[in-house]
Amino acid sequence: MRRVVVTGLGAVTPIGNDVPTFWQGLKDGTLGIDTLTRFDTSEYKVHLAAEVRGFDPTLYMEKSEVRKTDLFVQYALGAAAQAMEESGLEGNVDPHKFGIYFGSGIGGLGSTTDEILKLHEKGPRRVSPHCIPMMIANIAGGHMAIRYNAKGSCLPVTTACATGTHEIGEALRAIRHGYLDAVLAGGSEASIVPLGLAGFANMTALTTNEDKHSASVPFDKRRSGFVMGEGAGALILEEYEHAKARGAKIYCEVVGYGTNCDAHHITAPDPEAFGPAACIKMALDESGFGTDTSTYINAHGTSTPLNDVMETKAIKQVFGEHAKESVLVSSIKSMVGHTLGAAGAVEAVAAILALTEGVIPPTIGLTEPDPECDLDYVPQVAREAEVSLAMSTSFGFGGHNACVAFAKV
């Protein structure tokens, strides 16, 4: 079975629009959550969000292209361009063995709602001819395939908040089994729009806390719901010998992947955590590492009452007595909010950098630990720590579970 490594990273996030800025923000414990500025929220239950700020899409695409694409595509192309440039892959891979596995949990929600308003207010003739390509969730991957001449499998996945992690895991399998030599993988989301905020708020998924410093506090007993975030994360996965032969920079090896479904509830996780535990165990078993391995888990950690207890249970079920001895856990959603379909990819970037640089990003705002959340969540401040294995977990609406594992080469 072929080995798979990571040779490029890209990120557009609420705390930085490139990987170095994002990573420094994580190490510094930078808070990307603030009062929402994109539209008037006076009639909404929720007033905070983790918005991407200062992003210039014209750094990555022509102005004419910007007008024809949704914001989630613009974020995606930004992160993808960063990863491709760093990897040096463009022009150095057989197009028929180069794939795009890049998805979105929701897709072009902003464009969809804008065009619906046009339809109702101005009639059908005023709906943009670009409406459908702007709204469909697979279109970011399509743009990337055209841009980078990727003629292998283009497989955008939509599994809600597990999207980015599933893309990485499925890309791992495609390369391992010889279907592809390299994959541009990741996820993107731009759903901080009136309909998105109202929908999540009215289902009581979002916190109504108006103090930005305590709004997203994973594993804290004060947690009351997640904060909407946005952005994109991108990774270049490549067959090891292919990467080595062209002298590529190698971050780490992708060593494990788990995927399953709770089959329990459309939004709530299984409180017994059987599905997530089995998913994490799949990735751990495939990695070849044991439960006593020094491990960092970049947790899904949404700051919701149900998720954080469930995830703690899952980790303890898998690692047993070593959960408190060998495992460090943190949630960067305390800083960037929940970036939905982008979360798995953005958080994988964080996990990889934690592994390779020996710095564990903190769970900021964690000052009143929940007694049911009794692991080491690296509260408040980043910590220098060498780990042998880094894992990233994602659990999405619909019961979708995914976990990926990384190790040093």
Side-chain angles (χ1 to χ4, degrees), residues 159-165 216 218-219 226 267 269 276 280 296-304 306-308 310-312 315 329-334 336-344 347 363 377 391-397 400-403:
T159 50
C161 311
T163 294
T165 304
S216 183
F219 308 107
F226 71 81
T267 56
I280 295 169
Y296 167 56
I297 298 177
N298 189 294
H300 189 56
T302 57
S303 188
T304 58
L306 295 179
N307 176 89
D308 297 0
M310 175 280 293
E311 190 162 10
T312 300
I315 293 168
V329 183
S330 71
S331 172
I332 68 167
K333 289 184 178 71
S334 59
V336 302
H338 193 344
T339 57
L340 306 173
E347 291 163 15
T363 306
Y377 304 105
M391 307 182 82
S392 180
T393 58
S394 297
F395 312 118
F397 284 176
H400 302 292
N401 304 317
C403 178

Side-chain angles (χ1 to χ4, degrees), residues 55 57 61 65-77 104 106-114 130-131 133-136 139-140 143 188-191 193:
F55 176 73
M61 52 202 302
E65 195 178 10
V66 172
R67 291 192 295 269
K68 300 173 185 177
T69 54
D70 188 84
L71 189 57
F72 94 95
V73 173
Q74 296 166 25
Y75 291 160
L77 291 177
S104 176
I106 299 175
L109 187 61
S111 296
T112 302
T113 53
D114 287 347
H130 303 290
C131 172
M134 291 170 74
M135 66 187 283
I136 52 181
I139 205 67
H143 277 283
S188 179
E189 207 76 84
S191 295
V193 299

Side-chain angles (χ1 to χ4, degrees), residues 47-115:
H47 307 290
L48 298 178
E51 297 172 286
V52 168
R53 299 173 189 269
F55 176 73
D56 181 1
T58 62
L59 294 174
Y60 307 105
M61 52 202 302
E62 297 296 327
K63 285 184 179 180
S64 59
E65 195 178 10
V66 172
R67 291 192 295 269
K68 300 173 185 177
T69 54
D70 188 84
L71 189 57
F72 94 95
V73 173
Q74 296 166 25
Y75 291 160
L77 291 177
Q82 296 167 28
M84 285 295 291
E85 181 177 3
E86 182 182 39
S87 73
L89 183 65
E90 190 170 5
N92 291 304
V93 61
D94 179 351
H96 298 280
K97 300 287 279 185
F98 180 30
I100 308 291
Y101 282 37
F102 210 103
S104 176
I106 299 175
L109 187 61
S111 296
T112 302
T113 53
D114 287 347
E115 297 304 319

Side-chain angles (χ1 to χ4, degrees), residues 246-271:
R246 66 182 187 85
K249 171 185 176 178
I250 295 175
Y251 277 98
C252 62
E253 184 172 357
V254 192
V255 293
Y257 171 48
T259 176
N260 64 10
C261 187
D262 284 351
H264 170 72
H265 189 273
I266 58 169
T267 56
D270 177 359

Side-chain angles (χ1 to χ4, degrees), residues 126-310:
R126 296 299 296 274
V127 172
S128 170
H130 303 290
C131 172
I132 301 302
M134 291 170 74
M135 66 187 283
I136 52 181
N138 70 304
I139 205 67
H143 277 283
M144 291 173 194
I146 295 167
R147 174 172 292 192
Y148 299 116
N149 194 33
K151 297 184 177 182
S153 175
C154 185
L155 190 66
V157 167
T158 296
T159 50
C161 311
T163 294
T165 304
H166 275 128
E167 295 284 24
I168 296 165
E170 295 303 319
L172 166 68
R173 288 180 174 176
I175 298 171
R176 268 188 175 171
H177 294 288
Y179 298 108
L180 299 169
D181 288 335
V183 176
L184 168 53
S188 179
E189 207 76 84
S191 295
I192 303 177
V193 299
L195 181 61
L197 188 72
F200 277 115
N202 290 350
M203 69 181 294
T204 68
L206 303 182
T207 181
T208 56
N209 185 343
E210 298 195 11
D211 176 9
K212 65 183 181 181
H213 297 287
S214 60
S216 183
V217 284
F219 308 107
D220 191 294
K221 67 182 181 182
R222 298 167 298 160
R223 67 190 185 281
S224 57
F226 71 81
V227 174
M228 283 188 76
E230 60 178 355
L235 294 78
I236 303 298
L237 273 62
E238 191 170 351
E239 193 273 325
Y240 174 61
E241 296 297 339
H242 187 279
K244 193 168 68 168
R246 66 182 187 85
K249 171 185 176 178
I250 295 175
Y251 277 98
C252 62
E253 184 172 357
V254 192
V255 293
Y257 171 48
T259 176
N260 64 10
C261 187
D262 284 351
H264 170 72
H265 189 273
I266 58 169
T267 56
D270 177 359
E272 299 304 318
F274 296 140
C279 181
I280 295 169
K281 189 174 188 302
M282 281 183 221
L284 182 65
D285 288 349
E286 190 174 86
S287 76
F289 288 87
T291 57
D292 59 346
T293 301
S294 57
T295 301
Y296 167 56
I297 298 177
N298 189 294
H300 189 56
T302 57
S303 188
T304 58
L306 295 179
N307 176 89
D308 297 0
V309 172
M310 175 280 293

